[in-house]
Amino acid sequence: MVVLLFDIDGTLIVTGGAGGDALLHAFSELFGVAEPQEVPFSGRTDRGIASNLFRAHAIPDTDANWRQLRSAYLQRLTAYLPQREGKILPGIASLLDRLSARTDCAVGLLTGNARDGARLKLEHYQLYHHFAFGGYGDDHVDRDDVAREALRACRAHLRSEPAPDRVWVIGDTPLDVRCARAVGARVAAVATGWDSREQLAAAQPDLLLDTLEEPDALLAQIG
Ligand SMILES: [Mg+2]
């Protein structure tokens, strides 16, 4: 059994700013901050982004504030997804179709998105049915902990322990590479997000691809 754990933003889809704007607008409105400070989004978890926003504006970084923000974010995300010009990234739809047709692949998510945010985004692009389990960004500031959650969910789904060298993380940032290493997984970096090929190469993934449009290199590696 091969396990494939996909990142969402910059790897499977881009939302045309729907995700980032939904979070920032929800934050602005709830906490009365007209212009939120810039905090890093790429590769971060939603909980981690929220923590950074709270701290940047001296708002208590509590679970209650996070839950309120998440709820307002999800409402806006639902509205924004159809209004923005996002897209499925090249090659993704056919790759997922091919993987779903195989009985020797378990396909899941390893994403910084909150669970319901991941669902809304992937339902919008009609990709959600490909993913049987996942690790999400609701509870973890650190993406490495999301990788651990994704593996726990994978074990529960398979009812067995996947061999570490048969687990692949597919993502678009150096943080995706790092979190794969944290759980002993292999990693394919794909340069369809914000990070350049050079930045990804510096993180030393097992495989580095410009896009997943020609996935043969990945498919050959996973066997
Ligand atoms: Mg990403």
Side-chain angles (χ1 to χ4, degrees):
M1 183 62 70
V2 182
V3 175
L4 295 136
L5 302 171
F6 283 89
D7 167 59
I8 295 179
D9 298 293
T11 300
L12 297 176
I13 60 166
V14 289
T15 64
D21 284 354
L23 190 64
L24 289 174
H25 295 176
F27 177 79
S28 286
E29 190 176 285
L30 268 178
F31 299 102
V33 176
E35 291 206 15
Q37 286 188 36
E38 267 188 40
V39 299
F41 273 62
S42 181
R44 268 65 176 193
T45 70
D46 284 356
R47 184 66 185 89
I49 294 166
S51 274
N52 285 338
L53 285 170
F54 290 149
R55 285 196 211 137
H57 296 279
I59 294 159
D61 185 6
T62 61
D63 282 340
N65 277 342
W66 159 237
R67 281 195 295 270
Q68 222 187 342
L69 175 58
R70 180 177 57 187
S71 161
Y73 158 67
L74 292 169
Q75 278 184 18
R76 285 181 182 268
L77 183 62
T78 305
Y80 289 3
L81 279 167
Q83 295 168 2
R84 303 297 171 93
E85 268 195 46
K87 63 178 180 189
I88 302 175
L89 287 163
I92 291 299
S94 77
L95 173 62
L96 290 175
D97 282 340
R98 284 171 78 172
L99 295 172
S100 288
R102 290 173 57 159
T103 54
D104 64 338
C105 289
V107 181
L109 294 169
L110 193 177
T111 173
N113 279 272
R115 179 185 290 263
D116 286 337
R119 178 179 55 76
L120 288 169
K121 288 180 182 179
L122 294 177
E123 280 179 350
H124 179 73
Y125 292 101
Q126 300 178 330
L127 297 175
Y128 189 61
H129 61 283
H130 289 292
F131 302 96
F133 59 90
Y136 303 92
D138 299 80
D139 301 321
H140 310 298
V141 167
D142 189 330
R143 195 177 188 91
D144 295 1
D145 292 321
V146 179
R148 295 181 187 103
E149 181 187 316
L151 268 191
R152 280 195 298 275
C154 176
R155 274 182 218 117
H157 171 69
L158 295 174
R159 298 204 188 95
S160 69
E161 186 75 31
D165 65 341
R166 304 284 280 162
V167 177
W168 280 84
V169 171
I170 298 109
D172 69 306
T173 73
L175 292 174
D176 294 75
V177 178
R178 196 188 76 185
C179 80
R181 300 309 184 204
V183 295
R186 304 180 76 187
V187 54
V190 55
T192 43
W194 291 107
D195 289 285
S196 67
R197 198 179 161 95
E198 290 68 33
Q199 285 167 312
L200 293 173
Q204 298 187 294
D206 296 291
L207 191 62
L208 176 54
L209 301 167
D210 288 321
T211 76
L212 285 166
E213 205 162 12
E214 285 167 18
D216 291 351
L218 176 64
L219 293 170
Q221 287 269 343
I222 69 174

